[in-house]
């Protein structure tokens, strides 16, 4: 089930403040030739860690 915070900026910001303040969560920006190409995240209980990587399409010159 998807939570509704995605549609409310206040809830979205509150959620990400919680995520970013958790020292067990690792968030990184992926760069390609100095341009933002996506993001990577590691989260969840140590015994059940999840990795999420989202990349965008880039046209690099």
């Amino acid at each position: 089930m998807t939570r509704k915070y995605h549609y409310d900026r206040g809830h979205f910001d509150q959620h990400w403040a919680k995520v970013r303040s958790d020292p067990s969560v690792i968030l990184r920006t992926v760069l390609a030739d100095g341009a933002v190409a996506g993001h990577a995240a590691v989260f969840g209980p140590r015994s059940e860690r999840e990795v999420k990587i989202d990349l965008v399409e880039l046209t690099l010159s």
Side-chain angles (χ1 to χ4, degrees):
M1 175 181 241
T2 303
R3 292 184 184 174
K4 292 186 178 183
Y5 75 83
H6 294 283
Y7 306 106
D8 181 297
R9 184 62 194 213
H11 286 147
F12 176 86
D13 291 342
Q14 184 179 24
H15 167 75
W16 276 100
K18 180 181 175 184
V19 169
R20 295 182 71 194
S21 69
D22 184 339
S24 70
V25 174
I26 300 168
L27 300 171
R28 297 290 184 266
T29 300
V30 178
L31 300 176
D33 289 339
V36 174
H39 70 271
V42 180
F43 54 92
R46 187 170 287 288
S47 63
E48 301 174 18
R49 295 297 255 180
E50 294 185 44
V51 176
K52 180 174 180 170
I53 300 172
D54 287 322
L55 301 174
V56 296
E57 288 187 37
L58 295 175
T59 302
L60 302 174
S61 46

